[in-house]
Amino acid sequence: MRAEYRALVSGSPAAALDRDGGPEHLTASCFVFSPDLAQVLLCFHKKGRFWVQLGGHIEPADDSVAAAAHREAREECGIDDLRPLGGGVVDLDRHSLGDGFTRCSAHWDVGFAATASLTAVPVGSDENDDVAWWPVEALPVNVPPHFGRRLRGVLDRIAMVEDDRHAGSAGQPSA
């Protein structure tokens, strides 16, 4: 799938990043977790009518796809204090869109991760009907197909990065 993403972006970089560049383009999302990774913050998507991670289109002012993902997450949940997690891209998902989407036929989503305190109160936006914390082991029924598998893959990627980070610091002199 990574090769297909590279081909999309290298074929027409500007169009791949622009929501008006064609019916298929990149989007940026952010899986927001509690610090212990036991809860995930999901929004109820107005057009899709399902619970999903926070995210949306890349804007011209975004410095990177990661910046777009974190901006979208802050806008959609009202929590400013998001801490990046996972060391970069943690999920790739290309999905066709339903009838509620007029300009787009498919999104090539690039997913990142962050944490937020459970004491931070999420507030929905005009792009969603609700935003709420859910246990990662007890997701709501109305999530997109394969969302649980994707979420498990994101958590596995985060665990791998954290394991590598701890292994890299093993044997280092402490300060």
Side-chain angles (χ1 to χ4, degrees):
M1 186 178 279
R2 285 182 188 267
E4 293 173 18
Y5 270 70
R6 284 189 190 110
L8 173 74
V9 173
S10 64
S12 181
L17 295 172
D18 185 354
R19 73 185 327 166
D20 296 321
E24 296 190 18
H25 47 265
L26 294 182
T27 54
S29 69
C30 188
F31 292 82
V32 177
F33 295 99
S34 59
D36 65 359
L37 305 179
Q39 304 273 328
V40 62
L41 188 62
L42 301 178
C43 69
F44 193 76
H45 197 281
K46 275 188 177 183
K47 290 181 183 178
R49 308 307 302 160
F50 45 65
W51 289 96
V52 69
Q53 79 275 14
L54 307 164
H57 289 99
I58 300 162
E59 302 294 338
D62 293 323
D63 290 334
S64 65
V65 178
H70 293 286
R71 174 191 51 76
E72 284 284 345
R74 288 188 306 275
E75 289 175 2
E76 290 188 1
C77 76
I79 300 173
D80 289 328
D81 189 22
L82 299 178
R83 292 169 293 288
L85 177 67
V89 175
V90 296
D91 181 63
L92 294 174
D93 183 65
R94 182 180 58 219
H95 50 271
S96 297
L97 302 171
D99 295 337
F101 297 84
T102 56
R103 289 194 276 184
C104 312
S105 63
H107 281 164
W108 296 58
D109 192 61
V110 181
F112 296 85
T115 60
S117 171
L118 281 172
T119 60
V121 179
V123 178
S125 73
D126 61 348
E127 295 183 25
N128 59 53
D129 285 336
D130 196 5
V131 60
W133 290 102
W134 293 89
V136 297
E137 299 300 332
L139 296 174
V141 175
N142 49 341
V143 295
H146 312 293
F147 185 79
R149 179 181 47 81
R150 287 179 58 209
L151 185 62
R152 177 55 36 212
V154 168
L155 289 166
D156 289 348
R157 169 76 177 139
I158 291 167
M160 183 180 68
V161 169
E162 290 302 311
D163 287 348
D164 287 349
R165 185 173 292 142
H166 291 295
S169 64
Q172 298 295 320
S174 59

